[in-house]
């Protein structure tokens, strides 16, 4: 059941890179988990409520296996999707333009790779996710507890970066990108942040393109004018699997991502696409490619 899986209960030992970060950061939960934590009421929007309900079945370990075990999780192949994402992030931080004191990762999911380049440039990093199970998974890693997912098996340089990242991650908070105040009132994160990172979140928790745009508007309020957003996501994907959960995704094209950023008052500095090769289309999603965007929030808009 790996090629063209139609049964969400099929064996998912291979992997859905695309959902990488299946960030989950969004979704308004109908009353459970996050809504009280972030001070939100049950979501009156039936599309978002359906997304929230579906994510109650999200399994972080299945997601990690799907995305971070071979073939998609193989970092040794330079043309693989994992190395491509890490390269995009490393090259952008290497410009020296994306810097400051505070950075917020929007919809971290159960993953940390998206911050490995950032930790050398920011002293105060906030990780966030909508789902308590993902925040618990991140907590295991942050405390370096036995049983935490082993990221360092990928490379020794990853082990050094992990130590540095643990020292810089100051908090793991609930978030709901569909709320005008995604972190709730009286957030524990220092705001506005100097930079935002978000990987595989907005398109994965939005029922349609208009919802995607609003979620982007909401997270943009957390960023200072002149601050930078690094956004990674799936292109033309409509579903992915995470254990028992089959999750809907709003399919977006590169031009729609660019237009959404411009509408949210960003100057797009870089927008790149990775086409998913056939050997990485493993049946755990229908992703066609990945985008990486670097955008700067305009000043005085």
């Amino acid at each position: 059941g790996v090629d063209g899986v139609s049964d969400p209960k099929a064996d998912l030992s291979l992997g859905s890179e695309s959902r990488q970060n299946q960030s989950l950061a969004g979704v308004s939960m109908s009353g459970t988990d996050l809504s009280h934590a972030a001070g939100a009421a049950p979501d009156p929007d039936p599309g978002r409520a359906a997304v929230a309900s579906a994510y109650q079945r999200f399994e972080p370990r299945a997601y990690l296996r799907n995305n971070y075990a071979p073939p998609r999780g193989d970092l040794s192949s330079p043309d693989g999707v994992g190395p491509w994402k890490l390269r995009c992030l490393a090259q952008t931080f290497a410009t020296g333009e994306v810097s400051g004191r505070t950075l917020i990762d929007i919809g971290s999911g159960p993953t940390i790779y998206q911050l490995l380049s950032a930790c050398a440039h920011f002293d105060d990093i906030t990780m966030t996710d909508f789902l308590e199970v993902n925040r618990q998974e991140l907590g295991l890693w942050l405390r370096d507890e036995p049983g935490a997912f082993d990221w360092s098996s990928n490379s020794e340089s990853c082990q050094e970066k992990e130590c540095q990242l643990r020292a810089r991650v100051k908090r793991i908070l609930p978030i709901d990108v569909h709320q005008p105040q995604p972190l709730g009132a009286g957030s524990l994160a220092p705001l506005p942040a100097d930079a935002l990172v978000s990987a595989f979140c907005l398109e994965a928790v939005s029922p349609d393109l208009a919802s995607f745009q609003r979620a982007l508007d909401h997270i943009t309020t957390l960023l200072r004018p002149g601050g930078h957003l690094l956004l990674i996501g799936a292109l033309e994907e409509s579903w992915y699997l995470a254990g028992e959960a089959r999750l809907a995704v709003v399919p977006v094209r590169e031009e729609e991502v660019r237009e959404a950023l411009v509408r949210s008052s960003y100057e797009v500095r870089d927008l790149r696409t990775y086409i998913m090769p056939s050997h990485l289309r493993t049946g755990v999603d229908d992703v066609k490619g990945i985008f990486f965007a670097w955008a700067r929030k305009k000043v005085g808009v």
Side-chain angles (χ1 to χ4, degrees), residues 182-195:
L183 294 172
S187 164
L188 296 172
L191 295 175
D194 295 313

Side-chain angles (χ1 to χ4, degrees), residues 228-247:
H228 295 265
L229 165 66
L230 304 184
L231 190 66
I232 296 175
L235 289 171
E236 298 183 64
E237 179 179 58
S238 66
W239 60 271
Y240 74 98
L241 302 173
E244 296 288 305
R246 182 186 175 100
L247 298 150

Side-chain angles (χ1 to χ4, degrees), residues 109-191:
T111 70
I112 64 154
Y113 74 92
Q114 68 277 12
L115 295 173
L116 292 173
S117 294
C119 67
H121 302 271
F122 292 87
D123 294 330
D124 183 308
I125 294 176
T126 300
M127 300 187 79
T128 67
D129 202 80
F130 182 65
L131 292 180
E132 186 178 0
V133 288
N134 280 336
R135 300 195 301 271
Q136 288 170 344
E137 188 70 43
L138 293 174
L140 289 176
W141 169 82
L142 187 60
R143 296 185 298 272
D144 202 8
E145 292 190 8
F149 187 77
D150 182 11
W151 293 95
S152 62
S153 60
N154 289 319
S155 70
E156 284 182 30
S157 64
C158 186
Q159 292 179 25
E160 295 167 28
K161 288 275 193 188
E162 278 189 89
C163 289
Q164 189 177 16
L165 181 56
R166 282 193 182 96
R168 301 289 169 87
V169 172
K170 305 302 183 189
R171 62 200 70 80
I172 299 169
L173 301 178
I175 192 168
D176 182 344
V177 300
H178 295 309
Q179 298 299 326
Q181 291 182 297
L183 294 172
S187 164
L188 296 172
L191 295 175

Side-chain angles (χ1 to χ4, degrees), residues 5 48 55 60 65 77 95 113 117 137 158-159 227 245 262 265 294 299:
V5 178
R48 294 201 312 245
Y55 269 104
R65 272 197 311 278
S77 162
T95 65
Y113 74 92
S117 294
E137 188 70 43
C158 186
Q159 292 179 25
V262 170
S265 298
W294 168 21
V299 178

